[in-house]
PDB file of all heavy atoms in Angstrom:
ATOM      1  N   GLU A  18     -15.454   2.977   4.052  1.00  0.00           N
ATOM      2  CA  GLU A  18     -15.855   3.662   5.321  1.00  0.00           C
ATOM      3  C   GLU A  18     -15.106   3.097   6.506  1.00  0.00           C
ATOM      4  O   GLU A  18     -15.104   3.726   7.557  1.00  0.00           O
ATOM      5  CB  GLU A  18     -17.301   3.555   5.459  1.00  0.00           C
ATOM      6  CG  GLU A  18     -17.926   2.233   5.737  1.00  0.00           C
ATOM      7  CD  GLU A  18     -18.187   1.408   4.465  1.00  0.00           C
ATOM      8  OE1 GLU A  18     -17.635   1.803   3.391  1.00  0.00           O
ATOM      9  OE2 GLU A  18     -18.926   0.431   4.525  1.00  0.00           O
ATOM     10  N   ASN A  19     -14.382   1.929   6.367  1.00  0.00           N
ATOM     11  CA  ASN A  19     -13.684   1.348   7.378  1.00  0.00           C
ATOM     12  C   ASN A  19     -12.284   1.708   7.384  1.00  0.00           C
ATOM     13  O   ASN A  19     -11.362   1.264   8.163  1.00  0.00           O
ATOM     14  CB  ASN A  19     -13.792  -0.177   7.356  1.00  0.00           C
ATOM     15  CG  ASN A  19     -15.271  -0.632   7.479  1.00  0.00           C
ATOM     16  OD1 ASN A  19     -15.945  -0.166   8.379  1.00  0.00           O
ATOM     17  ND2 ASN A  19     -15.696  -1.506   6.614  1.00  0.00           N
ATOM     18  N   GLY A  20     -11.868   2.615   6.484  1.00  0.00           N
ATOM     19  CA  GLY A  20     -10.517   3.099   6.340  1.00  0.00           C
ATOM     20  C   GLY A  20      -9.677   2.027   5.661  1.00  0.00           C
ATOM     21  O   GLY A  20      -8.368   2.071   5.712  1.00  0.00           O
ATOM     22  N   GLN A  21     -10.300   0.955   5.024  1.00  0.00           N
ATOM     23  CA  GLN A  21      -9.579  -0.028   4.340  1.00  0.00           C
ATOM     24  C   GLN A  21      -9.345   0.240   2.931  1.00  0.00           C
ATOM     25  O   GLN A  21     -10.276   0.834   2.307  1.00  0.00           O
ATOM     26  CB  GLN A  21     -10.227  -1.441   4.536  1.00  0.00           C
ATOM     27  CG  GLN A  21     -10.356  -1.862   5.988  1.00  0.00           C
ATOM     28  CD  GLN A  21     -11.097  -3.121   6.224  1.00  0.00           C
ATOM     29  OE1 GLN A  21     -12.167  -3.313   5.540  1.00  0.00           O
ATOM     30  NE2 GLN A  21     -10.581  -4.096   7.018  1.00  0.00           N
ATOM     31  N   SER A  22      -8.193  -0.012   2.468  1.00  0.00           N
ATOM     32  CA  SER A  22      -7.875   0.370   1.021  1.00  0.00           C
ATOM     33  C   SER A  22      -7.855  -0.756   0.083  1.00  0.00           C
ATOM     34  O   SER A  22      -7.835  -1.894   0.410  1.00  0.00           O
ATOM     35  CB  SER A  22      -6.459   1.094   0.982  1.00  0.00           C
ATOM     36  OG  SER A  22      -5.510   0.301   1.699  1.00  0.00           O
ATOM     37  N   TYR A  23      -7.654  -0.314  -1.272  1.00  0.00           N
ATOM     38  CA  TYR A  23      -7.728  -1.314  -2.293  1.00  0.00           C
ATOM     39  C   TYR A  23      -6.969  -0.827  -3.517  1.00  0.00           C
ATOM     40  O   TYR A  23      -7.058   0.407  -3.833  1.00  0.00           O
ATOM     41  CB  TYR A  23      -9.131  -1.762  -2.732  1.00  0.00           C
ATOM     42  CG  TYR A  23      -9.188  -2.871  -3.708  1.00  0.00           C
ATOM     43  CD1 TYR A  23      -9.040  -4.167  -3.151  1.00  0.00           C
ATOM     44  CD2 TYR A  23      -9.426  -2.630  -5.013  1.00  0.00           C
ATOM     45  CE1 TYR A  23      -9.148  -5.279  -4.165  1.00  0.00           C
ATOM     46  CE2 TYR A  23      -9.438  -3.709  -5.967  1.00  0.00           C
ATOM     47  CZ  TYR A  23      -9.285  -5.033  -5.439  1.00  0.00           C
ATOM     48  OH  TYR A  23      -9.309  -6.117  -6.264  1.00  0.00           O
ATOM     49  N   ILE A  24      -6.197  -1.656  -4.170  1.00  0.00           N
ATOM     50  CA  ILE A  24      -5.458  -1.288  -5.381  1.00  0.00           C
ATOM     51  C   ILE A  24      -5.368  -2.472  -6.203  1.00  0.00           C
ATOM     52  O   ILE A  24      -5.131  -3.662  -5.806  1.00  0.00           O
ATOM     53  CB  ILE A  24      -4.067  -0.696  -5.083  1.00  0.00           C
ATOM     54  CG1 ILE A  24      -3.403  -0.238  -6.395  1.00  0.00           C
ATOM     55  CG2 ILE A  24      -3.230  -1.745  -4.280  1.00  0.00           C
ATOM     56  CD1 ILE A  24      -2.113   0.513  -6.142  1.00  0.00           C
ATOM     57  N   ASP A  25      -5.769  -2.375  -7.530  1.00  0.00           N
ATOM     58  CA  ASP A  25      -5.629  -3.487  -8.533  1.00  0.00           C
ATOM     59  C   ASP A  25      -5.535  -2.964  -9.908  1.00  0.00           C
ATOM     60  O   ASP A  25      -5.881  -1.753 -10.190  1.00  0.00           O
ATOM     61  CB  ASP A  25      -6.887  -4.437  -8.336  1.00  0.00           C
ATOM     62  CG  ASP A  25      -6.647  -5.731  -9.052  1.00  0.00           C
ATOM     63  OD1 ASP A  25      -5.551  -6.118  -9.275  1.00  0.00           O
ATOM     64  OD2 ASP A  25      -7.662  -6.476  -9.385  1.00  0.00           O
ATOM     65  N   ASP A  26      -4.989  -3.834 -10.814  1.00  0.00           N
ATOM     66  CA  ASP A  26      -4.996  -3.409 -12.250  1.00  0.00           C
ATOM     67  C   ASP A  26      -5.975  -4.294 -12.927  1.00  0.00           C
ATOM     68  O   ASP A  26      -6.223  -5.465 -12.746  1.00  0.00           O
ATOM     69  CB  ASP A  26      -3.495  -3.789 -12.774  1.00  0.00           C
ATOM     70  CG  ASP A  26      -2.465  -2.862 -12.346  1.00  0.00           C
ATOM     71  OD1 ASP A  26      -2.846  -1.757 -11.715  1.00  0.00           O
ATOM     72  OD2 ASP A  26      -1.261  -3.244 -12.329  1.00  0.00           O
ATOM     73  N   VAL A  27      -6.680  -3.571 -13.935  1.00  0.00           N
ATOM     74  CA  VAL A  27      -7.750  -4.215 -14.593  1.00  0.00           C
ATOM     75  C   VAL A  27      -7.447  -4.150 -16.102  1.00  0.00           C
ATOM     76  O   VAL A  27      -6.846  -3.144 -16.679  1.00  0.00           O
ATOM     77  CB  VAL A  27      -9.124  -3.705 -14.395  1.00  0.00           C
ATOM     78  CG1 VAL A  27      -9.593  -4.013 -12.911  1.00  0.00           C
ATOM     79  CG2 VAL A  27      -9.149  -2.098 -14.491  1.00  0.00           C
ATOM     80  N   GLU A  28      -7.869  -5.126 -16.947  1.00  0.00           N
ATOM     81  CA  GLU A  28      -7.724  -5.208 -18.399  1.00  0.00           C
ATOM     82  C   GLU A  28      -9.053  -5.426 -19.019  1.00  0.00           C
ATOM     83  O   GLU A  28     -10.150  -5.467 -18.348  1.00  0.00           O
ATOM     84  CB  GLU A  28      -6.740  -6.300 -18.730  1.00  0.00           C
ATOM     85  CG  GLU A  28      -5.387  -6.102 -18.173  1.00  0.00           C
ATOM     86  CD  GLU A  28      -4.402  -7.263 -18.570  1.00  0.00           C
ATOM     87  OE1 GLU A  28      -4.918  -8.335 -19.031  1.00  0.00           O
ATOM     88  OE2 GLU A  28      -3.142  -6.952 -18.480  1.00  0.00           O
ATOM     89  N   GLU A  29      -9.052  -5.442 -20.330  1.00  0.00           N
ATOM     90  CA  GLU A  29     -10.292  -5.613 -21.105  1.00  0.00           C
ATOM     91  C   GLU A  29     -11.120  -6.789 -20.634  1.00  0.00           C
ATOM     92  O   GLU A  29     -10.593  -7.900 -20.382  1.00  0.00           O
ATOM     93  CB  GLU A  29      -9.947  -5.821 -22.613  1.00  0.00           C
ATOM     94  CG  GLU A  29     -11.182  -5.914 -23.496  1.00  0.00           C
ATOM     95  CD  GLU A  29     -10.861  -5.960 -24.937  1.00  0.00           C
ATOM     96  OE1 GLU A  29      -9.689  -5.538 -25.351  1.00  0.00           O
ATOM     97  OE2 GLU A  29     -11.560  -6.584 -25.719  1.00  0.00           O
ATOM     98  N   GLY A  30     -12.415  -6.531 -20.340  1.00  0.00           N
ATOM     99  CA  GLY A  30     -13.268  -7.509 -19.785  1.00  0.00           C
ATOM    100  C   GLY A  30     -13.376  -7.637 -18.263  1.00  0.00           C
ATOM    101  O   GLY A  30     -14.350  -8.265 -17.786  1.00  0.00           O
ATOM    102  N   ASP A  31     -12.494  -7.010 -17.652  1.00  0.00           N
ATOM    103  CA  ASP A  31     -12.563  -7.034 -16.058  1.00  0.00           C
ATOM    104  C   ASP A  31     -13.626  -5.940 -15.569  1.00  0.00           C
ATOM    105  O   ASP A  31     -13.950  -5.039 -16.278  1.00  0.00           O
ATOM    106  CB  ASP A  31     -11.157  -6.621 -15.512  1.00  0.00           C
ATOM    107  CG  ASP A  31     -10.144  -7.676 -15.800  1.00  0.00           C
ATOM    108  OD1 ASP A  31     -10.618  -8.852 -16.056  1.00  0.00           O
ATOM    109  OD2 ASP A  31      -8.919  -7.542 -15.712  1.00  0.00           O
ATOM    110  N   LEU A  32     -14.048  -6.167 -14.392  1.00  0.00           N
ATOM    111  CA  LEU A  32     -15.015  -5.317 -13.741  1.00  0.00           C
ATOM    112  C   LEU A  32     -14.508  -4.645 -12.492  1.00  0.00           C
ATOM    113  O   LEU A  32     -13.502  -5.164 -11.865  1.00  0.00           O
ATOM    114  CB  LEU A  32     -16.269  -6.168 -13.321  1.00  0.00           C
ATOM    115  CG  LEU A  32     -16.873  -7.227 -14.296  1.00  0.00           C
ATOM    116  CD1 LEU A  32     -17.976  -7.879 -13.699  1.00  0.00           C
ATOM    117  CD2 LEU A  32     -17.262  -6.613 -15.558  1.00  0.00           C
ATOM    118  N   TRP A  33     -15.178  -3.690 -12.097  1.00  0.00           N
ATOM    119  CA  TRP A  33     -15.006  -3.028 -10.725  1.00  0.00           C
ATOM    120  C   TRP A  33     -16.296  -2.564 -10.171  1.00  0.00           C
ATOM    121  O   TRP A  33     -17.333  -2.366 -10.926  1.00  0.00           O
ATOM    122  CB  TRP A  33     -13.882  -1.988 -10.649  1.00  0.00           C
ATOM    123  CG  TRP A  33     -14.183  -0.781 -11.455  1.00  0.00           C
ATOM    124  CD1 TRP A  33     -14.900   0.302 -11.054  1.00  0.00           C
ATOM    125  CD2 TRP A  33     -13.801  -0.533 -12.857  1.00  0.00           C
ATOM    126  NE1 TRP A  33     -14.920   1.332 -11.987  1.00  0.00           N
ATOM    127  CE2 TRP A  33     -14.302   0.803 -13.118  1.00  0.00           C
ATOM    128  CE3 TRP A  33     -13.066  -1.140 -13.757  1.00  0.00           C
ATOM    129  CZ2 TRP A  33     -14.015   1.379 -14.397  1.00  0.00           C
ATOM    130  CZ3 TRP A  33     -12.833  -0.615 -14.916  1.00  0.00           C
ATOM    131  CH2 TRP A  33     -13.276   0.646 -15.306  1.00  0.00           C
ATOM    132  N   ASN A  34     -16.334  -2.304  -8.876  1.00  0.00           N
ATOM    133  CA  ASN A  34     -17.557  -1.871  -8.235  1.00  0.00           C
ATOM    134  C   ASN A  34     -17.254  -1.004  -6.935  1.00  0.00           C
ATOM    135  O   ASN A  34     -16.405  -1.420  -6.143  1.00  0.00           O
ATOM    136  CB  ASN A  34     -18.451  -3.013  -7.801  1.00  0.00           C
ATOM    137  CG  ASN A  34     -19.772  -2.591  -7.270  1.00  0.00           C
ATOM    138  OD1 ASN A  34     -20.741  -2.435  -8.087  1.00  0.00           O
ATOM    139  ND2 ASN A  34     -19.969  -2.357  -5.955  1.00  0.00           N
ATOM    140  N   PHE A  35     -17.771   0.131  -6.962  1.00  0.00           N
ATOM    141  CA  PHE A  35     -17.664   1.082  -5.784  1.00  0.00           C
ATOM    142  C   PHE A  35     -19.048   1.325  -5.236  1.00  0.00           C
ATOM    143  O   PHE A  35     -19.857   1.869  -6.008  1.00  0.00           O
ATOM    144  CB  PHE A  35     -16.936   2.389  -6.143  1.00  0.00           C
ATOM    145  CG  PHE A  35     -15.608   2.154  -6.827  1.00  0.00           C
ATOM    146  CD1 PHE A  35     -15.344   2.666  -8.064  1.00  0.00           C
ATOM    147  CD2 PHE A  35     -14.584   1.373  -6.158  1.00  0.00           C
ATOM    148  CE1 PHE A  35     -14.050   2.474  -8.621  1.00  0.00           C
ATOM    149  CE2 PHE A  35     -13.386   1.208  -6.785  1.00  0.00           C
ATOM    150  CZ  PHE A  35     -13.068   1.691  -8.038  1.00  0.00           C
ATOM    151  N   GLU A  36     -19.322   1.000  -4.089  1.00  0.00           N
ATOM    152  CA  GLU A  36     -20.586   1.278  -3.377  1.00  0.00           C
ATOM    153  C   GLU A  36     -20.631   2.816  -3.099  1.00  0.00           C
ATOM    154  O   GLU A  36     -19.586   3.493  -3.130  1.00  0.00           O
ATOM    155  CB  GLU A  36     -20.889   0.399  -2.188  1.00  0.00           C
ATOM    156  CG  GLU A  36     -21.112  -0.998  -2.489  1.00  0.00           C
ATOM    157  CD  GLU A  36     -22.287  -1.261  -3.428  1.00  0.00           C
ATOM    158  OE1 GLU A  36     -23.418  -0.756  -3.106  1.00  0.00           O
ATOM    159  OE2 GLU A  36     -22.148  -1.988  -4.503  1.00  0.00           O
ATOM    160  N   SER A  37     -21.743   3.341  -2.735  1.00  0.00           N
ATOM    161  CA  SER A  37     -21.958   4.775  -2.428  1.00  0.00           C
ATOM    162  C   SER A  37     -21.012   5.226  -1.403  1.00  0.00           C
ATOM    163  O   SER A  37     -20.749   4.639  -0.347  1.00  0.00           O
ATOM    164  CB  SER A  37     -23.431   4.923  -1.831  1.00  0.00           C
ATOM    165  OG  SER A  37     -23.563   6.236  -1.418  1.00  0.00           O
ATOM    166  N   GLY A  38     -20.357   6.385  -1.749  1.00  0.00           N
ATOM    167  CA  GLY A  38     -19.437   7.002  -0.838  1.00  0.00           C
ATOM    168  C   GLY A  38     -17.970   6.543  -0.840  1.00  0.00           C
ATOM    169  O   GLY A  38     -17.099   7.154  -0.142  1.00  0.00           O
ATOM    170  N   VAL A  39     -17.744   5.436  -1.490  1.00  0.00           N
ATOM    171  CA  VAL A  39     -16.378   4.927  -1.596  1.00  0.00           C
ATOM    172  C   VAL A  39     -15.460   5.746  -2.387  1.00  0.00           C
ATOM    173  O   VAL A  39     -15.791   5.993  -3.652  1.00  0.00           O
ATOM    174  CB  VAL A  39     -16.333   3.487  -2.071  1.00  0.00           C
ATOM    175  CG1 VAL A  39     -14.887   2.950  -2.316  1.00  0.00           C
ATOM    176  CG2 VAL A  39     -17.053   2.565  -1.067  1.00  0.00           C
ATOM    177  N   ALA A  40     -14.416   6.311  -1.867  1.00  0.00           N
ATOM    178  CA  ALA A  40     -13.495   7.259  -2.590  1.00  0.00           C
ATOM    179  C   ALA A  40     -12.561   6.359  -3.535  1.00  0.00           C
ATOM    180  O   ALA A  40     -12.135   5.333  -3.107  1.00  0.00           O
ATOM    181  CB  ALA A  40     -12.699   8.051  -1.675  1.00  0.00           C
ATOM    182  N   HIS A  41     -12.382   6.899  -4.793  1.00  0.00           N
ATOM    183  CA  HIS A  41     -11.662   6.055  -5.743  1.00  0.00           C
ATOM    184  C   HIS A  41     -11.034   6.851  -6.827  1.00  0.00           C
ATOM    185  O   HIS A  41     -11.337   8.034  -6.931  1.00  0.00           O
ATOM    186  CB  HIS A  41     -12.513   4.990  -6.382  1.00  0.00           C
ATOM    187  CG  HIS A  41     -13.769   5.435  -6.922  1.00  0.00           C
ATOM    188  ND1 HIS A  41     -14.892   5.861  -6.243  1.00  0.00           N
ATOM    189  CD2 HIS A  41     -14.052   5.699  -8.265  1.00  0.00           C
ATOM    190  CE1 HIS A  41     -15.780   6.322  -7.068  1.00  0.00           C
ATOM    191  NE2 HIS A  41     -15.379   6.228  -8.303  1.00  0.00           N
ATOM    192  N   SER A  42     -10.087   6.300  -7.545  1.00  0.00           N
ATOM    193  CA  SER A  42      -9.590   6.831  -8.799  1.00  0.00           C
ATOM    194  C   SER A  42      -9.267   5.781  -9.802  1.00  0.00           C
ATOM    195  O   SER A  42      -9.345   4.552  -9.456  1.00  0.00           O
ATOM    196  CB  SER A  42      -8.181   7.472  -8.370  1.00  0.00           C
ATOM    197  OG  SER A  42      -7.255   6.523  -8.095  1.00  0.00           O
ATOM    198  N   ILE A  43      -9.183   6.107 -11.012  1.00  0.00           N
ATOM    199  CA  ILE A  43      -8.918   5.293 -12.179  1.00  0.00           C
ATOM    200  C   ILE A  43      -7.780   6.010 -12.927  1.00  0.00           C
ATOM    201  O   ILE A  43      -7.840   7.132 -13.342  1.00  0.00           O
ATOM    202  CB  ILE A  43     -10.128   5.176 -13.082  1.00  0.00           C
ATOM    203  CG1 ILE A  43     -11.370   4.640 -12.298  1.00  0.00           C
ATOM    204  CG2 ILE A  43      -9.836   4.221 -14.204  1.00  0.00           C
ATOM    205  CD1 ILE A  43     -12.647   4.704 -13.110  1.00  0.00           C
ATOM    206  N   GLN A  44      -6.697   5.257 -13.137  1.00  0.00           N
ATOM    207  CA  GLN A  44      -5.547   5.757 -13.948  1.00  0.00           C
ATOM    208  C   GLN A  44      -5.175   4.758 -14.999  1.00  0.00           C
ATOM    209  O   GLN A  44      -5.008   3.548 -14.817  1.00  0.00           O
ATOM    210  CB  GLN A  44      -4.336   5.957 -13.019  1.00  0.00           C
ATOM    211  CG  GLN A  44      -3.159   6.565 -13.873  1.00  0.00           C
ATOM    212  CD  GLN A  44      -1.931   6.840 -12.984  1.00  0.00           C
ATOM    213  OE1 GLN A  44      -1.801   6.245 -11.978  1.00  0.00           O
ATOM    214  NE2 GLN A  44      -0.987   7.635 -13.547  1.00  0.00           N
ATOM    215  N   ALA A  45      -5.121   5.253 -16.262  1.00  0.00           N
ATOM    216  CA  ALA A  45      -4.773   4.423 -17.337  1.00  0.00           C
ATOM    217  C   ALA A  45      -3.277   3.919 -17.323  1.00  0.00           C
ATOM    218  O   ALA A  45      -2.452   4.800 -16.870  1.00  0.00           O
ATOM    219  CB  ALA A  45      -4.948   5.215 -18.727  1.00  0.00           C
ATOM    220  N   LEU A  46      -3.044   2.781 -17.656  1.00  0.00           N
ATOM    221  CA  LEU A  46      -1.648   2.205 -17.756  1.00  0.00           C
ATOM    222  C   LEU A  46      -1.105   2.422 -19.183  1.00  0.00           C
ATOM    223  O   LEU A  46      -1.533   3.342 -19.918  1.00  0.00           O
ATOM    224  CB  LEU A  46      -1.609   0.809 -17.265  1.00  0.00           C
ATOM    225  CG  LEU A  46      -2.158   0.596 -15.772  1.00  0.00           C
ATOM    226  CD1 LEU A  46      -2.206  -0.853 -15.451  1.00  0.00           C
ATOM    227  CD2 LEU A  46      -1.232   1.450 -14.899  1.00  0.00           C
ATOM    228  N   ASP A  47      -0.164   1.627 -19.590  1.00  0.00           N
ATOM    229  CA  ASP A  47       0.565   1.932 -20.748  1.00  0.00           C
ATOM    230  C   ASP A  47      -0.235   1.780 -22.049  1.00  0.00           C
ATOM    231  O   ASP A  47       0.139   2.549 -22.981  1.00  0.00           O
ATOM    232  CB  ASP A  47       1.734   0.797 -20.921  1.00  0.00           C
ATOM    233  CG  ASP A  47       1.178  -0.643 -20.959  1.00  0.00           C
ATOM    234  OD1 ASP A  47       0.568  -1.013 -19.986  1.00  0.00           O
ATOM    235  OD2 ASP A  47       1.525  -1.317 -21.927  1.00  0.00           O
ATOM    236  N   LYS A  48      -1.328   1.084 -22.141  1.00  0.00           N
ATOM    237  CA  LYS A  48      -2.154   0.983 -23.325  1.00  0.00           C
ATOM    238  C   LYS A  48      -3.235   2.153 -23.435  1.00  0.00           C
ATOM    239  O   LYS A  48      -3.870   2.272 -24.489  1.00  0.00           O
ATOM    240  CB  LYS A  48      -2.963  -0.316 -23.401  1.00  0.00           C
ATOM    241  CG  LYS A  48      -2.030  -1.602 -23.512  1.00  0.00           C
ATOM    242  CD  LYS A  48      -2.851  -2.862 -23.392  1.00  0.00           C
ATOM    243  CE  LYS A  48      -1.972  -4.101 -23.467  1.00  0.00           C
ATOM    244  NZ  LYS A  48      -2.799  -5.292 -23.439  1.00  0.00           N
ATOM    245  N   GLY A  49      -3.327   2.865 -22.351  1.00  0.00           N
ATOM    246  CA  GLY A  49      -4.553   3.703 -22.264  1.00  0.00           C
ATOM    247  C   GLY A  49      -5.788   2.861 -22.061  1.00  0.00           C
ATOM    248  O   GLY A  49      -5.723   1.673 -21.934  1.00  0.00           O
ATOM    249  N   CYS A  50      -6.969   3.479 -21.985  1.00  0.00           N
ATOM    250  CA  CYS A  50      -8.101   2.633 -21.666  1.00  0.00           C
ATOM    251  C   CYS A  50      -9.389   3.348 -22.048  1.00  0.00           C
ATOM    252  O   CYS A  50      -9.447   4.536 -22.185  1.00  0.00           O
ATOM    253  CB  CYS A  50      -8.211   2.252 -20.192  1.00  0.00           C
ATOM    254  SG  CYS A  50      -8.357   3.711 -19.130  1.00  0.00           S
ATOM    255  N   GLU A  51     -10.450   2.546 -22.361  1.00  0.00           N
ATOM    256  CA  GLU A  51     -11.778   2.965 -22.495  1.00  0.00           C
ATOM    257  C   GLU A  51     -12.696   2.097 -21.710  1.00  0.00           C
ATOM    258  O   GLU A  51     -12.496   0.911 -21.648  1.00  0.00           O
ATOM    259  CB  GLU A  51     -12.225   2.957 -23.880  1.00  0.00           C
ATOM    260  CG  GLU A  51     -13.732   3.488 -24.180  1.00  0.00           C
ATOM    261  CD  GLU A  51     -14.016   3.593 -25.605  1.00  0.00           C
ATOM    262  OE1 GLU A  51     -13.148   3.523 -26.499  1.00  0.00           O
ATOM    263  OE2 GLU A  51     -15.307   3.795 -25.864  1.00  0.00           O
ATOM    264  N   PHE A  52     -13.740   2.586 -20.997  1.00  0.00           N
ATOM    265  CA  PHE A  52     -14.579   1.741 -20.134  1.00  0.00           C
ATOM    266  C   PHE A  52     -16.015   2.276 -20.004  1.00  0.00           C
ATOM    267  O   PHE A  52     -16.303   3.416 -20.420  1.00  0.00           O
ATOM    268  CB  PHE A  52     -13.960   1.719 -18.684  1.00  0.00           C
ATOM    269  CG  PHE A  52     -13.524   2.988 -18.106  1.00  0.00           C
ATOM    270  CD1 PHE A  52     -14.285   3.773 -17.413  1.00  0.00           C
ATOM    271  CD2 PHE A  52     -12.281   3.409 -18.296  1.00  0.00           C
ATOM    272  CE1 PHE A  52     -13.912   4.984 -16.846  1.00  0.00           C
ATOM    273  CE2 PHE A  52     -11.722   4.642 -17.744  1.00  0.00           C
ATOM    274  CZ  PHE A  52     -12.639   5.395 -17.037  1.00  0.00           C
TER     275      PHE A  52
END
């Protein structure tokens, strides 16, 4: 909501969190993914 952005790569065992209203996307990299 402050117009601040974020980008990161995650692997097996990693976590993420988006609070209410935070716009986001998830894109699989070379291995594909399940979460």
Side-chain angles (χ1 to χ4, degrees):
E18 68 274 18
N19 300 312
Q21 296 176 317
S22 54
Y23 189 77
I24 183 171
D25 194 19
D26 292 342
V27 289
E28 298 182 342
E29 183 176 335
D31 292 340
L32 316 176
W33 63 87
N34 187 88
F35 305 124
E36 291 299 308
S37 173
V39 172
H41 55 281
S42 70
I43 304 168
Q44 184 181 16
L46 298 177
D47 60 301
K48 297 178 182 177
C50 63
E51 182 176 347
F52 47 88

